[in-house]
């Protein structure tokens, strides 16, 4: 029954995830027994095979911290200066689980209206009042809803309502001591301050409870010193070498992505050669690629992993604008076939809309998946929530959109800034998806069930079955795709992950 992947993908049609379907295998194990751990690069392994895209509306420190805590990993975008990227990376590496490293702050002269709008846009329950309204300056008080609930004048300054008599913890206290103090205080948050009284970080009841539930999560992704794993994207220009040097000098990243929509270039090979010599311990991820030939060139150059996909992303217009690319299922299969044989893991990047797409990407040879739109719109994504047509949304945009390129990302598309800028992406919004603390475990469990249906116990088992021709697939006609989706319903509720 069905076709092997070699048969299906060798017929001259380019397929994407929705075009193909796997035939079921035999089940003799529980879904909870499925092992999703997988290699991100030659040396880095993750418990959850999901990483976040280096895009300016997807991954900054907060996303990277939470992704690593959920067993995945985040890649910081580089639409910011090298100094800013190093600062973000340090925040991730210095993160202590259970704490908020960049707490919400306002100044004493800020008003109740400012507090209300901060609550709506950043999902915070309390705010620290500091001398200049920034973290790092002297802590003066704390405001929570309890202080403002019965006040009608929205222009009242927070200095008039804040709690000044504060419980604070010292920066030198151990994590256990701070959490014990929080437990006893019965307050929503406990600020940690330096010996000069500056706000350093905050322990909140919500993050503390989250830590208590931690055993239910996949193992946190950590480096050999127990700090969270982190990646960052960089370009291939001369100043990008200095950027990586700075990130490494701060001991702040474990892997870098050489970010390009077409990775098979002399720019990337030269950068790869430089990095392998200057930073032998650093894992270097090259791409993007969609063919075995491109993959071979970068593997020969020493790439530690390959990022696969060209024009498959939700915000991408590369295939339409440049007429180059490949259907993502075919690209993942063909690149992984060549890369896995050489011991190099692949990352299926772009086009992941649901858990089924993750099952397909991993079963077609990818070791991990990279998500942009799926993670955009979550609490951890950069940016604030706002309303469009009655729906709560956050902004999301392609790094090749005119808006993102205006902030500096045009290098990814080999754009010549002297001339006309050609957009290869769009800009828009995605709906509020809540926290990835809920989303990632849901996705992981759905993927385990997909593997169980296929009779596969692990990601490496899926790769072995694919190689042996033991996994069977078929192409789906458009009627079969329509049948596979919800149909003939007047109305229905659907979880939107
Ligand atoms: P998803 O589908 O997860 O895709 O939103 C995220 C991936 O899309 C790529 N990317 C782009 N591709 N034009 C493109 O052609 C763009 O402007 C653009 N921005 C991001 C990137 O690989 C990302 O991980």
């Amino acid at each position: 029954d069905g076709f092997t992947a070699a048969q299906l993908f060798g017929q001259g049609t380019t397929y994407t995830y929705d075009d193909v379907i796997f035939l079921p295998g035999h089940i003799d194990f529980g879904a909870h027994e499925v092992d999703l751990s997988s290699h991100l690069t030659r040396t880095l392994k993750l418990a959850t095979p999901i990483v976040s895209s280096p895009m300016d509306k997807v991954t900054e420190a907060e996303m990277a911290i939470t992704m690593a805590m959920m067993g995945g990993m985040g890649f910081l975008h580089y639409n910011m200066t090298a100094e800013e990227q190093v600062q973000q990376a340090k925040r991730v590496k210095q993160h202590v689980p259970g704490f908020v490293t960049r707490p919400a702050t306002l100044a004493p002269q800020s008003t109740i209206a400012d507090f209300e709008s901060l609550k709506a846009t950043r999902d915070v329950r309390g705010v620290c009042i500091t001398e200049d309204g920034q973290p790092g300056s002297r802590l003066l008080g704390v405001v929570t809803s309890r202080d403002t609930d019965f006040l009608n004048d929205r222009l009242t300054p927070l200095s008039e309502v804040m709690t000044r008599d504060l419980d604070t913890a010292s920066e030198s206290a151990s994590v256990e001591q701070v959490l014990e103090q929080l437990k006893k205080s019965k307050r929503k948050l406990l600020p940690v301050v330096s010996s000069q009284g500056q706000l350093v970080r905050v322990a909140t009841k919500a993050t503390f409870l989250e830590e208590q539930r931690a055993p239910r999560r996949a193992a946190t992704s950590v480096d050999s010193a127990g700090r969270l794993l982190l990646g960052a994207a960089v370009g291939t220009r001369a100043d990008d070498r200095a950027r990586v040097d700075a990130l490494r000098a701060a001991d702040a990243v474990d892997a870098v992505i050489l970010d390009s929509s077409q990775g098979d270039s002399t720019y990337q090979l030269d950068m790869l050669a430089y990095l392998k010599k200057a930073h032998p311990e650093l894992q270097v991820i090259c791409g993007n690629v969609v063919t075995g030939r491109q993959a071979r060139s970068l593997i020969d150059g020493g790439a530690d992993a390959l990022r696969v996909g060209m024009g498959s992303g939700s915000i991408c217009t590369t295939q339409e604008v440049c007429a180059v690319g490949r259907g993502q299922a075919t690209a993942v299969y063909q690149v992984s076939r060549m890369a896995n044989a050489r011991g190099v893991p692949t990352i299926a990047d772009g086009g992941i809309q649901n858990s089924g797409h993750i099952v397909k990407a991993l079963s077609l040879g990818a070791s991990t998946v990279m998500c942009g739109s799926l993670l955009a719109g979550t609490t951890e994504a950069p940016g604030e929530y706002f309303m469009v047509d009655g729906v709560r949304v956050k902004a999301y945009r392609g790094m090749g959109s005119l808006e993102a390129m205006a902030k500096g990302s045009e290098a990814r598309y080999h754009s010549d800034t002297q001339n006309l800028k050609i957009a290869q992406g769009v800009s828009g919004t995605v709906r509020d998806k809540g926290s990835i603390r809920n989303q990632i475990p849901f996705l992981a469990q759905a993927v385990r069930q997909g593997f169980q249906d296929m009779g596969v116990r692990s990601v490496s088992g899926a790769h072995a079955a694919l190689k042996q021709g033991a996994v069977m697939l078929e192409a789906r006609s458009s009627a079969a795709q329509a049948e596979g989706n919800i149909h003939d319903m007047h109305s229905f509720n659907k979880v939107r992950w």
Side-chain angles (χ1 to χ4, degrees), residues 52-55 259-261 288 307 309-319 349-353 370-374 396-401 412-413 423-426:
S52 65
S53 275
M55 298 173 73
D259 187 42
S260 171
S261 55
N288 283 20
R307 197 172 162 214
M310 190 173 190
S312 56
S314 59
I315 30 51
C316 299
T317 53
T318 298
Q319 292 188 7
D349 171 31
I352 301 281
Q353 297 167 19
M370 176 173 276
C371 301
S373 72
L374 204 66
Y396 180 49
R397 65 189 184 195
M399 296 307 285
S401 64
R412 175 181 162 85
Y413 298 93
Q424 290 187 42
V426 297

Side-chain angles (χ1 to χ4, degrees), residues 41-53:
T41 65
R42 285 184 206 260
T43 63
L44 297 176
K45 201 171 180 190
L46 305 177
T48 307
I50 304 175
V51 299
S52 65
S53 275

Side-chain angles (χ1 to χ4, degrees), residues 3 8 15 19-21 473-477 480:
F3 293 86
L8 189 72
Y15 291 119
D19 292 323
V20 298
I21 192 82
L473 307 96
E474 274 170 357
R476 299 163 96 192
S477 66

Side-chain angles (χ1 to χ4, degrees), residues 334-397:
Q334 296 294 8
V335 172
S336 304
R337 193 165 61 100
M338 124 76 50
N340 290 347
R342 305 267 308 263
V344 176
T346 60
I347 305 167
D349 171 31
I352 301 281
Q353 297 167 19
N354 51 45
S355 54
H357 289 169
I358 302 179
V359 175
K360 288 176 181 176
L362 298 175
S363 304
L364 289 172
S367 293
T368 55
V369 298
M370 176 173 276
C371 301
S373 72
L374 204 66
L375 302 171
T378 59
T379 320
E380 291 80 6
E384 295 178 347
Y385 286 113
F386 54 100
M387 302 295 285
V388 174
D389 302 331
V391 178
R392 196 169 188 246
V393 296
K394 269 195 188 185
Y396 180 49
R397 65 189 184 195

